[in-house]
Structures are given as structure tokens and as C-alpha cells.
Amino acid sequence: MTVLEVLQATTAYFKKHNVENARLNAEHLLAHVLGRKRIELYLEFERELAETELGALRDLVKRRSKGEPLQHLLGTVEFCGLTFLCDKRAMVPRTETEQLVDLVESRIENRESRIVDVGTGSGVIALSLAAKFHGAKVLAADVSDDALALARENAARLNLSASVQFLKSHLLENVEGDFDVIVANLPYISTQDRHTLSREVLHDPQIALFAGERGDELVRELIDQAPSRLRPGGMLALEIGLGQNEELLSALAEKNYRDICAKNDYSEVTRFLFARYG
Ligand SMILES: C[S@@+](CC[C@H](N)C(=O)[O-])C[C@H]1O[C@@H](n2cnc3c(N)ncnc32)[C@H](O)[C@@H]1O
């Protein structure tokens, strides 16, 4: 079979198995097997595939059609222009979170800020900010040993190990010192909404998805903890779940944060909250 024929057959197979963006997934997996960039496939449509290549692709296609996330099969994900390792040890980074990083970046005035990323997962937020702000001191905290191991591997691959410290901690419990920026994309899904999640999302670690019966429990706890850890005028930046904004905005006001504001993601969901303290 040629590259084009394989792409067409794989796309049809994915559609039958309810894989979203069937053609794109097919292109990513074939490019991965051939060690090419996706765009390069277009220059090789007539190339015949070897049996070994077809065998490797078949295995990935089967796994993808059963709901394994594309990023786990590729082993990497692009985030804020950097390539991160991605596997079942931590949540697959989402595109919304790239927007959180951009919004945080645009609000940081001091390039030598002290920043903590709470619930760092694969390290995408902490490492992207460290790559943007070379003088910053960045701490990445997570309660999961698996996530921290992956985040450390990502730091090493990106040559950022010297710029980011990693720490096992429940929220800010083991974190010392004070910060100009506390940023967090914590678990915010209610355990009751488990049945609404796609089979791909259910490959993320449970500890990265669910906070409790309400969904916003961990975010609320961080809103309580953060004032004692923010330097005067320091910023708390949060990614939150669908429909959680109003109550969390009230929680920020009750705790006497100032300059409180909410921002929508590209799907027009209120997804990010920002507030300063002191
Ligand atoms: C939604 S994932 C986000 C990961 C990463 N920040 C990202 O944006 O891709 C939430 C992360 O919070 C971590 N986490 C869960 N409970 C925590 C807690 N009590 N304290 C610190 N981190 C926690 C999980 O292990 C997971 O890595």
C-alpha cells in the first residue's frame, strides 16, 4: 500500500471507531512510524510502505481506535512551542492551558519573579514560564510522584533543570517562601461527572482529574492558602472548570483579593481567574 492509500484506509477506520479528527490522527501516527514530519507525508503519497512499517502502524491504529490518547502513542506533545514527553504518569496537557501560560506571561512585570506552579503534572506550565523568563525562580509542586518524575525528565530534555525546582506537596503545604505568582491548573472535575468524560480523558490519572464531589474543592483550598504565600501585590492565576467561575469569584472577593478578573478560553468558556493580594 502507498502512503496515500494507508492514510485513506486509516481515516475510514478511525471514523468507524468514533475517533475525532480521524485524518489528522492518521497523519500523526503514520508520520511517527516513518520518522517524518506530518507535512512531509504530502511529498511521499506514492511511496510504498514496507511490511514492518505497516505492522507498526497497525498496532498504533488499533490502540488509538480503542481510545488511547494520540499523545500517549506519539510519546510527546507540543505545548507553547516546546516538545514535552507525555505518558500515563500525568495528564495530557490541554490547549486551554497554553492560553493560561500566555495570560500569565502578559501579566508578569518582573522578569525575575518567584513563581510556583501548583499541580505541575508533566511540568508544562512551570517549564514554559521558565523558558520565557530566564531570570525567574520557578518551583513546580505536585502530590504525585509519577507526575514529578515525568516533569523532571521534561526539565532535563529542555535544559531547564537548573531553572526549575520540583517538590512533592499537597498544594502549598511543603512549599517554603513567598511568591510573585502562584499559578495552578488543579483537578477541577466533580466525581459525579465521571460518566461525561471521553474514553481518551479517562486515560489521564484519576488524581489529575477529580477533586471531590463539587469539583472545585482543591481550587478553593488554594484560594484560602495563597494569601499567606503571595508577596504584596502578588498574583494568583487559576484554570477552572465549566460553570465554577461565579462561586470562585465570590470566594476570591471574600478572601479580600483585589484586581479580580475572569477570562474566557477560545471556546468562550470562563476558564481562567486572576487576582492579586496585598
Ligand atoms: C489537571 S492536572 C494539570 C497538570 C498540569 N498542570 C497541566 O496543566 O497539564 C492536575 C495536577 O494536580 C495534581 N494534584 C492533584 N491533587 C493535588 C494536590 N492536592 N496538591 C498538589 N497537586 C495535586 C495532579 O497530580 C495533577 O498533576
Side-chain angles (χ1 to χ4, degrees):
M1 286 176 92
T2 65
V3 163
L4 182 58
E5 286 166 345
V6 167
L7 282 178
Q8 288 168 338
T10 307
T11 303
Y13 186 83
F14 279 160
K15 281 187 180 160
K16 210 167 103 194
H17 288 83
N18 301 317
V19 173
E20 275 183 24
N21 302 317
R23 171 72 183 223
L24 193 65
N25 273 256
E27 290 181 4
H28 273 296
L29 289 178
L30 182 55
H32 178 67
V33 164
L34 299 181
R36 297 278 195 281
K37 292 199 172 114
R38 191 167 62 83
I39 205 76
E40 289 170 354
L41 297 179
Y42 284 75
L43 305 173
E44 296 191 60
F45 272 168
E46 302 308 321
R47 173 185 156 184
E48 290 283 335
L49 293 186
E51 194 44 50
T52 48
E53 293 167 336
L54 282 173
L57 182 68
R58 245 179 245 126
D59 172 54
L60 294 174
V61 167
K62 262 195 215 139
R63 289 166 61 189
R64 183 68 194 94
S65 64
K66 287 184 184 148
E68 224 172 297
L70 177 68
Q71 297 86 344
H72 284 186
L73 298 174
L74 301 177
T76 56
V77 62
E78 299 297 311
F79 186 96
C80 287
L82 301 172
T83 304
F84 290 85
L85 296 174
C86 181
D87 61 37
K88 61 182 183 197
R89 288 176 288 174
M91 163 175 272
V92 174
R94 309 292 202 263
T95 50
E96 297 92 277
T97 310
E98 291 183 284
Q99 210 183 328
L100 173 66
V101 171
D102 289 344
L103 289 166
V104 169
E105 182 187 2
S106 66
R107 285 167 164 73
I108 290 181
E109 286 145 17
N110 173 8
R111 300 193 64 80
E112 297 186 354
S113 288
R114 227 174 107 76
I115 302 169
V116 58
D117 170 22
V118 186
T120 196
S122 57
V124 284
I125 299 175
L127 293 166
S128 300
L129 289 172
K132 288 174 197 284
F133 297 101
H134 293 294
K137 286 208 173 68
V138 183
L139 180 68
D142 204 292
V143 82
S144 154
D145 289 314
D146 276 349
L148 285 168
L150 178 61
R152 283 195 181 95
E153 285 172 34
N154 274 321
R157 271 172 56 104
L158 294 166
N159 284 324
L160 289 167
S161 299
S163 316
V164 181
Q165 273 189 307
F166 296 91
L167 181 73
K168 183 169 180 175
S169 177
H170 162 69
L171 302 179
L172 295 168
E173 209 167 75
N174 302 335
V175 173
E176 288 181 356
D178 52 5
F179 295 87
D180 301 290
V181 180
I182 298 176
V183 56
N185 175 22
L186 285 163
Y188 52 63
I189 299 173
S190 150
T191 42
Q192 301 175 43
D193 289 340
R194 190 176 209 290
H195 66 282
T196 64
L197 302 179
S198 71
R199 51 193 186 157
E200 281 80 5
V201 171
L202 289 170
H203 277 79
D204 284 325
Q206 303 263 323
I207 199 168
L209 295 174
F210 303 109
E213 275 195 21
R214 294 173 52 98
D216 64 0
E217 288 88 341
L218 283 169
V219 177
R220 280 174 177 276
E221 204 178 328
L222 183 63
I223 288 174
D224 286 350
Q225 277 186 2
S228 62
R229 301 314 190 81
L230 283 170
R231 290 177 170 174
M235 174 175 68
L236 177 63
L238 301 166
E239 182 171 328
I240 60 165
L242 188 64
Q244 294 174 346
N245 56 311
E246 284 189 14
E247 289 197 25
L248 292 175
L249 284 168
S250 304
L252 288 164
E254 275 165 29
K255 288 280 159 193
N256 297 320
Y257 285 83
R258 62 172 171 87
D259 299 346
I260 300 170
C261 80
K263 289 273 170 198
N264 288 0
D265 64 18
Y266 294 124
S267 321
E268 294 308 323
V269 171
T270 304
R271 181 67 69 192
F272 314 108
L273 301 183
F274 297 90
R276 293 191 183 270
Y277 195 84

